[in-house]
Structure formats: C-alpha cells, structure tokens
Amino acid sequence: MPATPRHAAFAITAPGLEALTAAELHAIGLPPSGTEPGGVAFVADVAGLCAANLRLRTASRVVVRVAEFTVVAFRELERHAARVPWERFVAPGRAVAFRVTCRKSRLYHSDAVAQRLALAVTRRVGGAQVVADAGESEGGEEDGARIPPQLFVVRLLHDRCTISADTSGPLLHRRGYRQAVAKAPLRETLAAAMLLGAGWRPDAPLVDPMCGSGTIAIEGALLARRIAPGLQRDFALRHWPEHDDGAWRAEHARAAGEALSRAPAPIVAADRDAGAVAATEANARRAGVLDDLAIARQPLSALEPPAGAGWLVTNPPYGARIGARDPLRDLYARLGQLARTRLGGWTVALLSADARLEAQVGLRFEEGFRTTNGGIRVRLVRAAVPAPSAAS
C-alpha cells in the first residue's frame, strides 16, 4: 500500500496571532515545525490538512509548499516551472490564479513572473484557465455554487522562489454565517483570537456589551459548543485531482461529532443599536447558535451580568474610524465604572487602538497580543477586576 503523502504546510495568520495559531495546531495533533511573522509551519497528510481547515479558528489560510528553487533569470524560471507538478493541484479546465511578491531579487516584476508560471500551468494541465488574482476583498460570503480559482502563492526573496498551493479557498474567516454586518465589522478569526488571548474558559459566562454584528459572541458560542468553524463551507483542496474524499468525510464527521448540544455557560450579546441587534440575531441563526445567546438591545449602563465570575470581551469604537476621540472618553470611562461596580472577580478584555482611551477604563491592563484590524494597529488588553471584598 503506498505511503500517505505528507505536505510541508503553513498556516497564514494576521501578524501577532502566530502563538495562538501554533497552540491551536498543537491541540488538533499537528505540532508546529516553526513560527515566523505571519504564520506557523507544520507537516500534515491530507487528513491533517482537512483538519486544519475545518478546525483552526485564528488562521487566515493554509497553504502547502509545491516547489522551491533559486532563480536569477526568466529562462531559469521557465525551466523550473515546467517541472512543477501543477496537475496534482489543478484539474483540467480549472481556473488558476497567482499571487506573486518579489523582494530583493533580480526577478522583480511580479506580473512577468506570474506570466511565466501561468504558461507552465497551461502547458501541463489541459484546459486550465489563468485568471487575475481577485485579492482579499471584504465582500459578502462566497457563492457556494461557484468554485473559486485555485490560488498559488509565490514569493521571491533574495532570488529564492517559493511556490505554495492554497488549500483553503476563500479566507478562513468566512465561516459562512456572517451576511449581516454592523459598522466596522470584526473578522471572525480576530474575534476568536480575542477570546483565546483573553483566556476565556467556555464554562464561564461571556458578555459583549457592544456586540455590533455579534461576531465575538457567536465565535464564543462556536468555541463553547466545540463546533469546528469550517463545518459549513467548502475548501480548495476538495477540488484537487488527488483529493482523498474519504479522508475529508472522516475528518468532517469526526469534527461534527464532537459538537455539544448547548453552550455550558451564558453568553450575552448586547448593543444599543437596533440594526446591530438584528444583525446579531440573523448571523447567530445562520451559525446555528441563536439559542445559545441572550441578545438584547440596551445601552452599556443597563447591562446586568450573569451570575458567577466570567469574561467581558468587546471591541469598542476606536475614534480613528467612527467619530471623534473626545466623545469616546466617556464611553470608556463608563465601561470602567460598569466593571468596578458590577463585574467584581471578572476579566475584562478589549481591542484597543489608543492608550489614552484605554486609560479611561481605569483597570490595570496587560497586553495579550498586537495586530491590525481594518488597517488600524490594535492590541488586545485584559485586566482582572478586583473582587468585591478586595475592592473596598
């Protein structure tokens, strides 16, 4: 019986989330082989690639190394490209896209590099159609009736060319449930990272009093119920000519079988905006976790937290994107007042873009990670709220 092929894989993350993704890979039995800015390397067979795509909550994409070589001239590039086994990843007639970056290399024209690679694919795979790379648009969820192009990520650095095949298809934050959005939507992968970085335990209450379209609360419910985030969507590797559908079905069934019927602790999603509350309800229904959430339209001051110590995790407005900074000082101060008067013994975590606003909360924050959200530099900060007996 032939040996199961193993792939040099790489889970791409937003900068700053690498440690969280590495911990996730460990948890699903895929120990990392290295970490670098922007992602985590690991080795996996087809079943492992399926598991990574199904289960990773903080990664943006999973790719596998196809070829690596040194090249300083286009003639050399053409010769190496002709030897790449494109047919393992591209079925006849399939659309193909290339995403090329060139840095500190003698071949510096990314379009010219993509052109040579495209020619190699069409010569080796009958009917392959090369299309322009659409990039990482923030549009709605992908059209499930259309198979997206097979993407190859190509990096030329110091004359070393690395070609990787995307296994994921649309970015992994596109779980399939978020079609209704509020202002400044938070990516699902970043919401999951906030929960993991805050140290939230799924058996403890979770509250988001400024929930927007409900992403933090919904990701919390998925995490609490052990629902793999990729169960509702398709992946690029399922359309590879060598795809093992049996391995996929087995991994999908295993992940689906681990789901709990109910979240073990209360999860509260609240917002003063009616549109945000409606979006939260619609998204939670599509995610299958509506019954796990207590959703309310109310201001911050009206929050009545569930009994027991829990976590308040939220993504408040930053000022750089929604309105001016000055009116937000009062909002952050009210959040701190709420924490000190009603959340003794809780943990408060928020995504902060401004240390001055963060200071208005009046808690002793520590940093969890730094990343970006919508092009804005942010950091997760968390603080333990003194218990009532210690606050006096």
Side-chain angles (χ1 to χ4, degrees):
M1 187 173 181
T4 302
R6 294 177 65 78
H7 301 271
F10 191 76
I12 299 173
T13 73
L17 306 187
E18 298 88 354
L20 296 173
T21 301
E24 286 194 273
L25 285 165
H26 266 297
I28 61 178
L30 298 170
S33 54
T35 299
E36 62 184 73
V40 185
F42 64 103
V43 176
D45 58 13
V46 172
L49 294 176
C50 293
N53 278 289
L54 281 167
R55 296 172 182 271
L56 288 177
R57 301 178 190 274
T58 61
S60 303
R61 187 185 297 285
V62 177
V63 300
V64 297
R65 182 77 46 84
V66 173
E68 186 174 11
F69 46 83
T70 298
V71 60
V72 297
F74 281 114
R75 183 173 297 178
E76 291 179 343
L77 177 64
E78 292 167 359
R79 185 173 67 253
H80 284 292
R83 300 172 184 157
V84 174
W86 305 103
E87 67 277 4
R88 294 180 56 193
F89 310 98
V90 182
R94 177 85 185 274
V96 178
F98 289 94
R99 182 169 303 161
V100 182
T101 56
C102 303
R103 294 183 61 241
K104 301 179 180 178
S105 297
R106 273 166 277 192
L107 298 185
Y108 58 86
H109 197 300
S110 58
D111 288 343
V113 171
Q115 185 181 43
R116 266 61 170 198
L117 298 176
L119 184 61
V121 172
T122 55
R123 285 176 172 171
R124 192 144 178 165
V125 180
Q129 306 169 35
V130 179
V131 299
D133 174 28
E136 312 292 14
S137 66
E138 285 295 328
E141 297 297 335
E142 65 272 11
D143 179 0
R146 183 179 64 84
I147 300 174
Q150 173 60 54
L151 174 68
F152 289 94
V153 180
V154 182
R155 182 176 69 169
L156 261 164
L157 179 63
H158 297 295
D159 296 325
R160 191 69 178 167
C161 181
T162 304
I163 302 174
S164 300
D166 171 43
T167 76
S168 302
L171 287 169
L172 292 177
H173 80 270
R174 297 185 176 181
R175 319 287 206 216
Y177 67 76
R178 196 183 70 176
Q179 297 177 19
V181 297
K183 290 182 180 179
L186 184 71
R187 278 191 174 187
E188 294 87 331
T189 43
L190 183 50
M194 290 178 65
L195 294 168
L196 296 173
W200 175 59
R201 301 193 317 271
D203 62 349
L206 172 66
V207 171
D208 182 358
M210 294 175 274
C211 67
S213 54
T215 311
I216 292 173
I218 293 170
E219 289 296 313
L222 295 175
L223 185 60
R225 290 184 54 189
R226 303 177 190 170
I227 297 175
L231 285 177
Q232 295 188 25
R233 53 163 288 172
D234 195 14
F235 299 101
L237 60 81
R238 297 194 63 205
H239 305 282
W240 291 356
E242 296 182 0
H243 173 65
D244 184 347
D245 200 54
W248 161 259
R249 292 179 182 277
E251 287 299 325
H252 191 278
R254 185 176 295 111
E258 294 173 359
L260 303 178
S261 60
R262 188 82 180 174
I267 299 175
V268 177
D271 202 289
R272 67 183 307 157
D273 182 76
V277 170
T280 297
E281 290 178 345
N283 291 333
R285 183 176 292 107
R286 274 186 291 270
V289 297
L290 181 60
D291 292 341
D292 297 290
L293 306 186
I295 303 172
R297 182 188 178 191
Q298 62 185 30
L300 185 64
S301 59
L303 178 69
E304 293 294 339
W311 269 254
L312 185 151
V313 182
T314 194
N315 178 37
Y318 308 145
R321 181 166 47 190
I322 305 174
R325 180 181 293 112
D326 288 347
L328 294 179
R329 290 175 179 166
D330 181 59
L331 174 66
Y332 280 70
R334 282 187 280 120
L335 177 61
Q337 177 67 14
L338 170 72
R340 288 187 294 274
T341 58
R342 303 182 196 175
L343 299 175
W346 282 53
T347 297
V348 171
L350 54 92
L351 213 54
S352 171
D354 190 324
R356 289 168 293 181
L357 290 175
E358 178 188 314
Q360 298 299 312
V361 181
L363 297 175
R364 298 182 63 179
F365 285 115
E366 62 178 15
E367 183 175 295
F369 58 74
R370 295 190 177 202
T371 187
T372 59
N373 182 28
I376 299 172
R377 293 180 179 179
V378 294
R379 63 182 192 142
L380 178 78
V381 294
R382 59 190 177 228
V385 182
S389 58
S392 56

